[in-house]
Amino acid sequence: MKRICLTAALSLALSVPAFAETLTLDSIIALCSTGIGDEAVIAKIKSSGTHFDLSTDQMIELKGKGVSGPVIAALLGGADGAPKPAAMSMDSPDAMVPHPSGVYLLMSMGSGARMQRIDPTVTNQSKTGGIFGYALTGGIASMSIKTAIQNETAKTRAAVNRPTFYFFFDESNPETARQITTFASGSTAAVSSPAEFTLIKMMKKDGRREARVGSANIGGVKTGVMDKDRIAFDYEMVRPGVFKVLPQAALAPGEYGFIYAISGGGSNGAMTARIFDFSI
């Protein structure tokens, strides 16, 4: 009878799964020191569901005690062994924090700083100026081509006359690169540098803002921002896909914008452009 009870108890114990073991850093170090191999240690980490939010110092210490890089990565990634992507922010002033792609203005606040994302304004309305002089001189005098956007002032306003901007491109967030990008322009070429943008000052007129994006005379038609209308700015890479941008000189009060993707594909042949607009 005792033998039957013992057999039943043993069968029951074997049929009940053991609770997942909670690993510690010391136990990970001990496992690695036995030489059983990374695959076995990583499998143990996965099965236990262990996850550590390791600091830089802890990672260095683990490496110094013989824990391999793949094992450390598994500790950071938790049960699936894959590193968890950092949470995105829309307003963190830290450029190392992931942000959705776009152009951001660094805003100084009473309690600190934050970034404000500038939504691009797309226009497909164009007009001409200087027609009288063009006609009077038989096309010797140039006729300007302007693109217009609604409202006399931008929603985003800089508090200083030499504001700081950050450009986040798709490269900064590889996991979102397959999604629709802020910088989509109908072109297959990827936008990846502030050098592809032009900083311009816009003119207020009758409830809208205008920017010159071309000229025409007897010699032909030019499209794009004229050299004399360009405002110089500097930029530097903070990390892959992220750039810090500063105007080279203080900007006078007025309406401005970073413009790119000028084309003639608008309705009725109108000039189109995407402008990240702001005011001083």
Side-chain angles (χ1 to χ4, degrees):
M1 183 67 180
K2 288 183 179 180
R3 179 175 296 180
I4 295 175
C5 292
L6 179 60
T7 302
L10 180 60
S11 300
L12 180 62
L14 292 175
S15 66
V16 177
F19 289 105
E21 179 183 355
T22 301
L23 298 178
T24 65
L25 294 181
D26 288 338
S27 62
I28 294 295
I29 294 170
L31 283 172
C32 292
S33 66
T34 64
I36 63 175
D38 289 351
E39 294 82 359
V41 178
I42 291 173
K44 182 65 175 176
I45 293 170
K46 290 181 179 180
S47 66
S48 67
T50 302
H51 168 68
F52 291 95
D53 186 12
L54 298 175
S55 67
T56 302
D57 289 340
Q58 286 176 313
M59 294 172 68
I60 294 173
E61 182 181 358
L62 287 172
K63 185 65 176 176
K65 292 183 177 180
V67 181
S68 70
V71 172
I72 294 175
L75 288 172
L76 290 169
D80 58 2
K84 295 184 178 180
M88 284 196 180
S89 173
M90 292 292 293
D91 59 5
S92 172
D94 186 355
M96 303 305 292
V97 173
H99 290 65
S101 62
V103 176
Y104 293 76
L105 169 65
L106 184 62
M107 306 282 289
S108 295
M109 311 294 291
S111 57
R114 68 179 181 87
M115 286 195 194
Q116 181 171 335
R117 192 168 187 258
I118 303 176
D119 293 325
T121 299
V122 182
T123 173
N124 59 5
Q125 181 184 28
S126 61
K127 57 178 295 186
T128 55
I131 298 178
F132 181 74
Y134 176 86
L136 190 65
T137 61
I140 297 176
S142 294
M143 172 178 61
S144 63
I145 303 171
K146 302 176 182 178
T147 188
I149 58 178
Q150 295 179 344
N151 303 321
E152 286 191 355
T153 187
K155 292 190 296 183
T156 301
R157 185 174 185 85
V160 295
N161 57 11
R162 192 165 178 252
T164 299
F165 300 89
Y166 284 92
F167 285 46
F168 288 81
F169 295 104
D170 292 334
E171 185 184 1
S172 66
N173 299 309
E175 69 275 9
T176 64
R178 293 186 296 273
Q179 300 176 7
I180 297 175
T181 171
T182 301
F183 300 109
S185 62
S187 169
T188 57
V191 182
S192 59
S193 168
E196 301 177 56
F197 292 74
T198 302
L199 178 57
I200 59 170
K201 184 173 183 179
M202 292 180 285
M203 299 162 284
K204 292 183 180 182
K205 190 170 183 180
D206 301 330
R208 64 180 183 273
R209 287 159 288 159
E210 297 178 348
R212 291 197 298 181
V213 293
S215 65
N217 58 26
I218 196 172
V221 177
K222 297 179 180 179
T223 58
V225 178
M226 303 296 103
D227 289 341
K228 62 182 179 181
D229 294 332
R230 296 172 182 263
I231 299 174
F233 62 86
D234 296 319
Y235 64 88
E236 62 176 317
M237 180 186 290
V238 178
R239 60 182 176 89
V242 181
F243 295 81
K244 180 180 179 180
V245 177
L246 273 169
Q248 288 186 359
L251 303 177
E255 300 297 318
Y256 297 86
F258 289 96
I259 185 171
Y260 87 110
I262 299 174
S263 66
S267 59
N268 300 320
M271 192 71 67
T272 65
R274 293 168 64 82
I275 303 175
F276 293 85
D277 56 326
F278 64 95
S279 63
I280 299 291

